[in-house]
Amino acid sequence: MSSIKTAFVGLGVMGFPMAGHLAAAGHSVRVYNRTSSRAREWLARFGDVAGATDMAATPREAAGSAEVVFLCVGNDDDVRSVVYGDSGVLAGMSAGSVLVDHTTASADLARELESACAAKGVGFLDAPVSGGQAGAENGQLTIMVGGSSQTFQIAEPVMACYAKSVRRLGDAGAGQLTKMVNQICIAGVLQGLAEALHFAEQAGLDIADVVDVISKGAAQSWQMENRYKTMAAGDFEFGFAVNWMRKDLDITLRTGRTLSARLPLTALVDQFYADVQAYGGGRWDTSSLIERLRRT
Ligand SMILES: NC(=O)c1ccc[n+]([C@@H]2O[C@H](COP(=O)([O-])OP(=O)(O)OC[C@H]3O[C@@H](n4cnc5c(N)ncnc54)[C@H](OP(=O)(O)O)[C@@H]3O)[C@@H](O)[C@H]2O)c1
C-alpha cells in the first residue's frame, strides 16, 4: 500500500517493535512515549529506516497530522490518560482519521472510545494482539479487531505490516472479547501443562523424552512446544508477565459475571497467579505456574 502518516503512542515491549515495522513499511511514524528516553531510543534504532520518523512531546502532538493513530499502553485507565484531555490524542485528531487501540483492555472501554471518537468524526478499532514479544519483533502478531467494517478497511492494510493475521470479529468490543477467550484458553492450558510436568518430575521421568512423545499426540499445545524447556529449568525471566495476565483475567472474570458465563477454572488459576505474585514473580512469564506446585 502507499505510505501514510501514522502516530504510535506507547513504545513498550510490544509497541516499540510494532512502530518499527510501520517505519520499515515506509509509513511516516511520529512516536510518543511517556518516558521520553524510550522514544529517543526508538528514533536511534528506527530513525534511518524507510519511513519518515520523529517524536512528539504529547500524545496530541503525535496524533496531530496522522491518518491512523495507534496506541499500545497498559490498562483501561492508561488508555484514557493518553486519549482524553488537552494533551490526549483525540484533541489532535481530525475527522476521517482512525484510532486503533492495541492495548489489552475491556470491551466497555472499546465501546466508550468508539462513541467519543464518533463525536469527532474519527473511526475507532479495538485491536488487541496475541503473539508476545517475539510476534511483535518478527511482525507475526495475530490481531483481533472490533469496530465498523468501513474503519477496518482503512486500518487493516497498515496493521498487516506487523501481523500474520488481522481479523475483524464484530462491532466495537469484539476484539477485546476475543482476546478474553484467548486468555481463558491460555490460563487453563498452562495450569494443565504445569501439573503434567510437575507429575512427570515427581515420577522421575525424563521431561524431554516425555514431551517428545506426547507432543505428537492430542496433548500437544503451543505452550508445550514453546515453554516446556524453560518450565523444566525453572527459568521465568522473560515472556508475558504474570502481572499483565492478572490484569487480563480481572477484565475477563468481570466480563464473565456480566455475561453470566461461568469461569470456575479461570478464577482458580487467577488465584494461583496471585500466589506467584506473592513469591515476587509478578514479572515472570505466565508459565511460572509450575513454580507454585514445586513450592507448595
Ligand atoms: N508483552 C506481551 O507479551 C504482550 C502480549 C500481548 C498483549 N500485551 C498487551 O499489550 C499492552 C502493552 O504491553 P507491553 O508488554 O508492551 O507493556 P510495557 O512494556 O509495560 O509497555 C507499556 C507502555 O505503555 C506506556 N504507558 C503505560 N501507562 C501509561 C500511561 N498512563 N500514560 C502513558 N503511557 C503509558 C509505557 O510508558 P513508559 O515507558 O513511560 O512506562 C510503555 O510505553 C498491554 O495491554 C499488554 O497486556 C502484551
Side-chain angles (χ1 to χ4, degrees):
M1 71 172 296
S2 55
S3 142
I4 64 158
K5 289 184 176 174
T6 70
F8 208 107
V9 173
L11 303 172
V13 166
M14 302 298 285
F16 191 99
M18 289 162 79
H21 284 293
L22 286 175
H27 301 301
S28 87
V29 191
R30 181 170 267 191
V31 295
Y32 167 81
N33 198 67
R34 179 178 57 183
T35 306
S36 57
S37 56
R38 181 81 172 160
R40 282 194 292 278
E41 203 183 312
W42 187 90
L43 275 183
R45 169 79 178 75
F46 294 108
D48 290 340
V49 298
T53 63
D54 69 15
M55 63 186 270
T58 63
R60 176 184 184 157
E61 189 186 310
S65 56
E67 293 157 75
V68 184
V69 176
F70 298 94
L71 312 176
C72 191
V73 292
N75 60 28
D76 283 27
D77 286 341
D78 297 326
V79 174
R80 288 191 181 96
S81 77
V82 296
V83 170
Y84 299 134
D86 280 352
S87 58
V89 291
L90 209 43
M93 293 179 72
S94 338
S97 61
V98 172
L99 177 61
V100 177
D101 185 17
H102 286 307
T103 311
T104 304
S106 69
D108 286 345
L109 177 72
R111 295 178 198 114
E112 171 192 315
L113 289 174
E114 187 188 53
S115 305
C117 287
K120 285 203 67 177
V122 170
F124 174 78
L125 299 174
D126 51 299
V129 303
S130 165
Q133 180 173 359
E137 287 172 354
N138 302 332
Q140 293 291 305
L141 293 170
T142 295
I143 310 185
M144 300 153 251
V145 185
S148 77
S149 22
Q150 194 189 350
T151 305
F152 180 71
Q153 276 169 19
I154 298 169
E156 188 269 339
V158 193
M159 291 188 276
C161 75
Y162 43 71
K164 68 173 174 200
S165 162
V166 188
R167 177 90 182 261
R168 177 181 171 271
L169 294 124
D171 294 336
Q176 297 295 357
L177 290 168
T178 304
K179 174 75 183 186
M180 292 176 215
V181 175
N182 186 74
Q183 300 306 69
I184 292 166
C185 292
I186 288 177
V189 166
L190 272 173
Q191 179 61 17
L193 180 61
E195 290 184 19
L197 297 185
H198 176 64
F199 178 95
E201 280 171 0
Q202 294 298 106
L205 293 168
D206 184 293
I207 298 287
D209 285 349
V210 168
V211 170
D212 189 44
V213 171
I214 68 171
S215 64
K216 295 184 177 66
Q220 189 272 347
S221 66
W222 185 96
Q223 300 289 347
M224 180 181 285
E225 299 267 334
N226 291 281
R227 292 290 184 263
Y228 88 87
K229 279 188 191 150
T230 42
M231 288 171 84
D235 173 13
F236 308 116
E237 302 286 349
F238 69 98
F240 184 59
V242 166
N243 288 341
W244 276 148
M245 185 60 156
R246 285 216 76 208
K247 181 258 301 180
D248 294 358
L249 294 181
D250 176 55
I251 296 168
T252 304
L253 291 168
R254 280 192 286 114
T255 307
R257 282 192 286 279
T258 67
L259 297 173
S260 299
R262 287 181 297 281
L263 303 171
L265 180 60
T266 308
L268 190 60
V269 176
D270 179 52
Q271 289 312 300
F272 295 164
Y273 279 126
D275 293 342
V276 176
Q277 286 176 314
Y279 305 144
R283 299 192 72 87
W284 291 352
D285 183 64
T286 39
S287 57
S288 54
L289 284 171
I290 195 170
E291 188 63 18
R292 181 184 162 278
L293 299 173
R294 290 181 179 133
R295 292 192 188 197
T296 52

